[in-house]
Amino acid sequence: MAAQIKLVQAIARIPRNEARARVNAAADMLPRREVNGAPVEPKLPVTATTVADAATEIDLRTAPQPDADALIDLAAPALSEGQLPTESGKHPQDVLTINLP
C-alpha cells in the first residue's frame, strides 16, 4: 500500500496524508481482487454501486490543474489556426505568470 500512496502523492502532487486518505477511500469504494485473482467485495458496496452507476471518474488533480487545462483548451485552437489579430503586422503576445508550489 505504501507504493500506491507514493504514486498518488506524486501524480496528484498532494501531501502524503491526503494521498493515504484517497487510497483508503478507493479501497472502501472500488471492487478489488485478492492476490490469487478472486474478486473482493468493496467495503462500502452501496457507495461503490452509486459511483459505478454514475460513471464517475476520480479526479486526482489538484484544484489549479483543471483550470490550467481549461486555459489550454481555450487558447490552443486560436493559436493553432493562425487567426489571431495583428497590429502593424505583428501578432499580440500574452504573458502568463504562474506561481508554482
Side-chain angles (χ1 to χ4, degrees):
M1 172 139 42
Q4 292 171 333
I5 293 171
K6 285 183 181 180
L7 178 63
V8 169
Q9 183 181 10
I11 291 172
R13 297 180 183 164
I14 56 176
R16 184 172 176 78
N17 60 343
E18 187 176 340
R20 182 181 299 114
R22 290 185 185 190
V23 169
N24 290 338
D28 290 343
M29 290 188 296
L30 303 175
R32 300 170 287 145
R33 296 201 176 268
E34 292 183 7
V35 175
N36 64 4
V40 176
E41 288 295 318
K43 294 179 184 177
L44 302 172
V46 175
T47 304
T49 303
T50 303
V51 169
D53 290 346
T56 304
E57 293 183 20
I58 298 174
D59 191 355
L60 298 176
R61 299 178 296 171
T62 60
Q65 289 172 328
D67 295 340
D69 292 341
L71 178 62
I72 291 169
D73 290 343
L74 289 171
L79 294 171
S80 65
E81 293 173 6
Q83 296 179 358
L84 295 174
T86 60
E87 184 172 319
S88 302
K90 296 182 181 180
H91 291 288
Q93 295 183 7
D94 291 331
V95 176
L96 179 63
T97 304
I98 300 174
N99 295 325
L100 299 175

